[in-house]
């Protein structure tokens, strides 16, 4: 069973043209974000662009972060992904959600008005205090082993 929390979304920017994001199934972890544009937007090959969603978020639970992630089909089929890997929307951010998209393909990609461009997922946050020390123990199964030290299989 999923724990239900709330984030307030203002869709005045949408008008009545786009539906609010929703979970496609009971097992969905994320909601689709759509391009809130009146005209198609060309994302040139190798380029980046900022695409507005028309959704403003406000007063999110302070124990949450909203994560903007790529849509797998858009990445696989067209090379279009969230530019910075993931987007982080802090609980105290109050404003429109926009998505930085990158085109890794050799072809321009046309983003259509209302097209599903990314996913929005909410995750719990743990804030950690960092403490400077002179040294730390490497007495673990891994020891000081780094990249690839645990083997391939």
């Amino acid at each position: 069973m999923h724990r239900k929390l709330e984030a307030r979304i203002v869709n005045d920017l949408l008008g009545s043209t786009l539906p609010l994001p929703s979970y496609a199934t009971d097992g969905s972890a994320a909601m689709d974000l759509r391009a809130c544009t009146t005209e198609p937007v060309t994302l040139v090959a190798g380029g980046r662009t900022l695409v507005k969603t028309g959704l403003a978020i406000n007063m999110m639970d302070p124990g949450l972060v909203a994560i903007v992630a790529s849509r797998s089909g858009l990445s696989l089929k067209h090379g279009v992904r969230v530019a910075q890997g993931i987007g982080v929307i802090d609980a105290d951010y109050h404003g429109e959600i926009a998505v930085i998209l990158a085109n890794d393909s050799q072809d321009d990609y046309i983003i259509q008005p209302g097209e599903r461009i990314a996913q929005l997922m909410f995750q719990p946050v743990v804030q950690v205090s960092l403490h400077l020390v002179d040294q730390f123990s490497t007495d673990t199964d891994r020891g000081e082993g780094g990249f690839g030290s645990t083997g391939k299989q």
Side-chain angles (χ1 to χ4, degrees):
M1 172 166 281
H2 300 287
R3 180 176 165 214
K4 299 286 185 178
L5 297 171
E6 291 185 10
R8 294 182 181 173
I9 299 286
V10 178
N11 71 338
D12 289 344
L13 303 170
L14 288 171
S16 60
T17 60
L18 295 176
L20 279 174
S22 62
Y23 296 100
T25 67
D26 287 341
S28 295
M31 308 173 197
D32 287 326
L33 291 173
R34 296 175 183 268
C36 186
T37 63
T38 56
E39 303 282 327
V41 174
T42 300
L43 177 52
V44 298
R48 290 182 306 277
T49 193
L50 184 69
V51 181
K52 295 186 175 195
T53 66
L55 296 169
I57 194 166
N58 185 296
M59 296 184 70
M60 195 165 58
D61 184 302
L64 291 178
V65 62
I67 302 292
V68 177
S70 298
R71 297 192 68 238
S72 58
L74 198 55
S75 294
L76 177 64
K77 295 174 185 175
H78 303 287
V80 174
R81 63 176 172 82
V82 173
Q84 68 273 39
I86 63 167
V88 174
I89 304 172
D90 297 308
D92 57 357
Y93 172 75
H94 303 290
E96 184 174 6
I97 299 170
V99 180
I100 305 167
L101 290 177
N103 183 350
D104 294 331
S105 78
Q106 296 177 354
D107 300 312
D108 292 352
Y109 182 78
I110 308 299
I111 302 165
Q112 298 296 330
E115 181 176 346
R116 296 179 300 163
I117 57 168
Q119 299 181 85
L120 183 65
M121 180 186 326
F122 295 89
Q123 294 285 312
V125 171
V126 176
Q127 289 189 336
V128 176
S129 296
L130 300 179
H131 299 278
L132 186 62
V133 297
D134 292 330
Q135 64 183 39
F136 55 89
S137 171
T138 57
D139 187 22
T140 67
D141 289 343
R142 177 179 291 211
E144 292 184 19
F147 298 105
S149 65
T150 59
K152 286 180 90 173
Q153 297 194 18

